[in-house]
Amino acid sequence: MTTHLSVGQQSAAIFHRFSGIVTQKQGYTLIETPSNPTFFWGHYLILDCPPKAEQFAEWEETFRRELPDSEHLLLSWQCHEDESDIDVSYFSDKGYDISNSVFLTANQFIKPKQINESLTIRKITSDSDWSKVLELQLLTNTDYEPEKFREFSTQYFLNYRNMAEEGLGDWYGAFLGDTLVGSLGLYTDGQIGRFQEVVTHPDFRQQGICKTLVYIVSTQVMQSHTLKCLVLEADEEYVAANIYKSLGYQETERAMSVCWYDKSKW
């Protein structure tokens, strides 16, 4: 494992190493995923240090040199407390999306005051259930052109299914009867576990589904595996981070990313 990466970045590398290529370069790590060319987070640079303003244009040039066929441009870096106020107006002025995320970790968990006892939570294994997972993901898409997002997501979830079949983790569903109302993935490299795509059906929110699903899967996996911790990533301004904190997850890292893509196509 590449030791210079933070715990959050190491957990992301679980997926990059399975389906893509991780290459350490001078000052950055190059991520490539040839099997899914439209995957933004499958083709990007992880910078070793937060960039200085005078380096922004240089990092754009480095990305284009490394990934000349990419139709997007994405840079990411870990933030320390004294580096969280970097002026990234250079990127926002050029139409980049700016994201601030937090990584939360835990190895012990707090049971929610209200567990949704109506849920059946189980691993996703059948063709039918994997189809439901994909359709739920598509249902929650509000940002991208539907057909392009379907094409991307089909390959994206095939990769998760392949990882599950090779014993690297599992996808879990929360069901009310035959209806999939929540789902998430949890995969491991043998040392840390990383959650993926925690979603709740839009028609079934505010029913404790997310809390119940994350808590039950967290406790089951930590009981059955010898892991240092589990890792979740969330937008620092989104309510999910507070949900995870209520279950015992603690913020351990912050990261920033800048991403440009042609919004007229997506």
Side-chain angles (χ1 to χ4, degrees):
M1 180 171 291
T2 308
T3 55
H4 80 280
L5 296 179
S6 69
V7 170
Q9 293 165 341
Q10 288 174 21
S11 67
I14 294 170
F15 309 95
H16 299 322
R17 288 193 168 87
F18 180 81
S19 61
I21 305 165
V22 180
T23 308
Q24 175 61 37
K25 301 291 187 89
Q26 183 65 40
Y28 62 98
T29 301
L30 170 64
I31 306 298
E32 302 170 89
T33 309
S35 63
N36 201 350
T38 61
F39 182 18
F40 294 174
W41 284 97
H43 303 270
Y44 71 110
L45 305 184
I46 304 173
L47 310 187
D48 287 358
C49 302
K52 295 179 170 57
E54 60 268 23
Q55 298 174 316
F56 290 163
E58 180 181 340
W59 281 118
E60 286 181 306
E61 293 173 4
T62 300
F63 182 98
R64 294 190 179 99
R65 184 180 68 250
E66 292 283 16
L67 297 161
D69 298 326
S70 176
E71 294 186 357
H72 72 278
L73 197 157
L74 198 162
L75 308 171
S76 179
W77 59 87
Q78 183 184 13
C79 293
H80 302 291
E81 287 189 14
D82 57 346
E83 297 163 334
S84 59
D85 58 350
I86 297 174
D87 181 3
V88 291
S89 57
Y90 170 90
F91 292 110
S92 57
D93 290 346
K94 297 178 73 171
Y96 283 73
D97 290 338
I98 314 298
S99 298
N100 292 282
S101 59
V102 295
F103 290 95
L104 304 106
T105 63
N107 54 28
Q108 297 183 36
F109 313 101
I110 300 170
K111 185 176 181 179
K113 293 180 179 179
Q114 291 184 322
I115 289 280
N116 189 321
E117 302 286 357
S118 300
L119 295 175
T120 298
I121 295 174
R122 55 179 170 82
K123 294 178 182 179
I124 299 297
T125 57
S126 69
D127 291 345
S128 174
D129 282 350
W130 277 106
S131 293
K132 290 179 180 180
V133 168
L134 175 61
E135 293 305 319
L136 177 57
Q137 186 73 16
L138 297 175
L139 185 64
T140 61
N141 169 45
T142 59
D143 297 324
Y144 304 112
E145 195 280 323
E147 287 308 312
K148 278 184 171 290
F149 190 68
R150 177 178 287 277
E151 179 182 357
F152 153 74
S153 296
T154 298
Q155 179 61 43
Y156 187 55
F157 278 91
L158 177 60
N159 185 67
Y160 286 134
R161 184 171 187 174
N162 290 339
M163 291 182 72
E165 290 174 351
E166 294 206 16
L168 298 176
D170 291 287
W171 207 271
Y172 298 83
F175 292 83
L176 287 174
D178 292 330
T179 302
L180 180 69
V181 296
S183 81
L184 58 79
L186 181 54
Y187 296 84
T188 174
D189 62 2
Q191 298 183 53
I192 54 179
R194 170 67 180 259
F195 282 92
Q196 291 286 273
E197 304 296 339
V198 182
V199 297
T200 302
H201 193 296
D203 296 339
F204 294 88
R205 289 174 179 161
Q206 305 298 320
Q207 297 182 30
I209 291 169
C210 178
K211 281 186 179 181
T212 302
L213 180 58
V214 172
Y215 172 75
I216 289 178
V217 172
S218 296
T219 54
Q220 287 180 352
V221 169
M222 286 300 287
Q223 288 170 0
S224 59
H225 293 71
T226 303
L227 300 174
K228 294 179 180 178
C229 65
L230 303 182
V231 182
L232 281 154
E233 182 179 7
D235 186 317
E236 69 175 357
E237 297 181 358
Y238 189 54
V239 66
N242 289 328
I243 291 175
Y244 305 146
K245 289 177 182 178
S246 75
L247 300 175
Y249 284 86
Q250 298 183 351
E251 180 183 318
T252 54
E253 300 171 18
R254 289 178 175 267
M256 178 177 284
S257 65
V258 295
C259 181
W260 179 91
Y261 62 95
D262 188 343
K263 294 180 174 63
S264 68
K265 293 182 179 180
W266 279 90

